[in-house]
Amino acid sequence: MTQLSTHDTMRAAFVETAGAAFASRRLPLPVAGPGQVLVQIEAAGLNPLDAKIRAGQAAHAKQPLPAVLGLDMAGTVRAVGAGVTQWRIGDEVFGMVGGVGGHPGTLAEFVAADARLLARRPVALAPREAAVLPLAFITAWEGLVDRARVGAGHKVLVHGGAGGVGQMAVQLARARGAHVWATGRADSLDAIAALGATPIDYRATTLERYVADATGGVGFDIVYDTVGGATLDQSFQAVRRYTGHVLTSLGWGSHSLAPLSFRGATYSGVFTLLPLLTGEGLAHHGKILAEAARLADQGLLRPWLDTHRFGLDEAEQAYALMGSGTARGKIAVEITAV
């Protein structure tokens, strides 16, 4: 390929202030520093966290504005920084590489990414499919595998099974031999069933009923809450006594631990942003995504994408759909360098 000049520029979708519309900007082309690779982005995955950062409502993400938003991406390595031996120019990769902690985001044509955060893109997935996996899959893995050690025969309840993290958690638990139930709205039950979980309409079925039906009243071995709020409180009551494990990716409120303590069960919080915020555990994220690629290539993992397609100049419309509550699956912005 032609050598990229440090004086070249790239297109990016830029947000000036909290709540502002996306503006198209030409920014300096990033340079791959030591331990980094320059990735030409083919697709950027959108997450609800991105919208919260844009609105100025995600102080925990430590992403000051103005900024290029976006955590997730899939693309091709175009330059390799000093000390990087695991990647070569032309490698197709994906990862959660920026958009928090002051790191430039992925709604751009290029990003300089820490090489440890990347994994080889699964052959079975198109760039837009791989681009929506990283944050959601890493969050699912850190809960189910790193904390709860999900395995064959476990009975797992996923709250919010049709959401981004939820759909990953359902597929991951099933791939590791667990039996899975998942809650959702009535209009999402077919999608949850298609993922391989037993769907539960949380508005029409009481906690006592579905715990009784699924576990004989004993409780689930693992409960993964991806909703937060009152759903986390319900999770404390749905878990198995003594050996049960409650996980949440949204445990940010004030909750009474008494129901969980009276069951003798355990609790873990999952905060997927920590490596990007602290610099610790970066390589673990890359290893997790290598597992995601393996599962995808085995036909055991596939993201559920909304059918609408967007380009970089349509970031505003993509975010509007994500915030509307009408999207049917994850959303990606596809990026073609010009």
Side-chain angles (χ1 to χ4, degrees):
M1 62 164 287
T2 302
Q3 180 66 35
L4 295 168
S5 168
T6 56
H7 300 291
D8 287 342
T9 61
M10 67 173 182
R11 290 184 305 139
F14 200 75
V15 175
E16 292 282 357
T17 59
F22 283 101
S24 180
R25 293 280 188 273
R26 292 210 72 91
L27 301 176
L29 189 75
V31 175
Q36 293 183 323
V37 296
L38 180 67
V39 179
Q40 182 176 350
I41 299 172
E42 297 170 58
L46 272 57
N47 294 285
L49 175 60
D50 300 319
K52 292 178 182 177
I53 294 171
R54 179 192 183 191
Q57 299 172 352
H60 64 284
K62 300 180 180 179
Q63 183 71 349
L65 301 176
V68 177
L69 303 185
L71 288 88
D72 292 344
M73 66 89 215
T76 303
V77 174
R78 295 304 186 199
V80 177
V84 175
T85 59
Q86 68 269 48
W87 300 114
R88 296 183 179 181
I89 292 173
D91 284 343
E92 296 178 334
V93 296
F94 72 125
M96 185 180 86
V97 300
V100 299
H103 301 288
T106 57
L107 283 175
E109 291 177 320
F110 293 88
V111 67
D114 191 298
R116 294 169 292 179
L117 290 168
L118 301 172
R120 196 170 301 277
R121 196 183 90 204
V123 175
L125 300 185
R128 66 189 294 261
E129 294 175 305
V132 302
L133 286 178
L135 173 61
F137 185 84
I138 292 168
T139 304
W141 181 282
E142 287 190 343
L144 288 171
V145 180
D146 290 348
R147 270 62 158 199
R149 307 298 183 193
V150 65
H154 282 153
K155 291 188 174 183
V156 176
L157 172 65
V158 177
H159 284 302
V165 176
Q167 60 172 285
M168 294 293 104
V170 167
Q171 294 178 80
L172 176 58
R174 291 194 72 247
R176 295 179 72 88
H179 308 289
V180 186
W181 289 255
T183 63
R185 300 190 306 261
D187 61 357
S188 69
L189 300 184
D190 288 345
I192 289 172
L195 293 173
T198 300
I200 299 169
D201 184 342
Y202 70 91
R203 291 175 174 168
T205 309
T206 65
L207 180 149
E208 292 77 15
R209 171 56 65 85
Y210 65 70
V211 171
D213 289 347
T215 73
V218 173
F220 294 91
D221 298 296
I222 301 169
V223 181
Y224 202 149
D225 160 46
T226 72
V227 179
T231 302
L232 178 53
D233 295 314
Q234 293 176 352
S235 300
F236 293 158
Q237 302 176 54
V239 73
R240 187 184 185 97
R241 286 186 290 274
Y242 294 114
T243 59
H245 200 140
V246 173
L247 312 162
T248 186
S249 56
L250 288 172
W252 302 336
S254 297
H255 300 269
S256 171
L257 292 177
L260 187 68
S261 298
F262 286 135
R263 301 186 75 82
T266 55
Y267 165 84
S268 293
V270 177
F271 188 39
T272 315
L273 306 185
L274 275 176
L276 282 170
L277 297 180
T278 67
E280 300 175 12
L282 297 167
H284 187 50
H285 275 195
K287 292 176 182 177
I288 291 173
L289 291 180
E291 290 296 323
R294 181 181 64 82
L295 291 174
D297 285 336
Q298 290 176 348
L300 298 175
L301 180 73
R302 197 167 198 93
W304 177 33
L305 268 71
D306 187 89
T307 57
H308 293 84
R309 303 184 77 151
F310 302 95
L312 184 59
D313 293 333
E314 299 168 311
E316 192 70 41
Q317 296 94 310
Y319 269 66
L321 176 60
M322 181 170 63
S324 70
T326 62
R328 293 293 178 259
K330 295 278 286 181
I331 299 169
V333 170
E334 296 171 276
I335 302 171
T336 302
V338 296

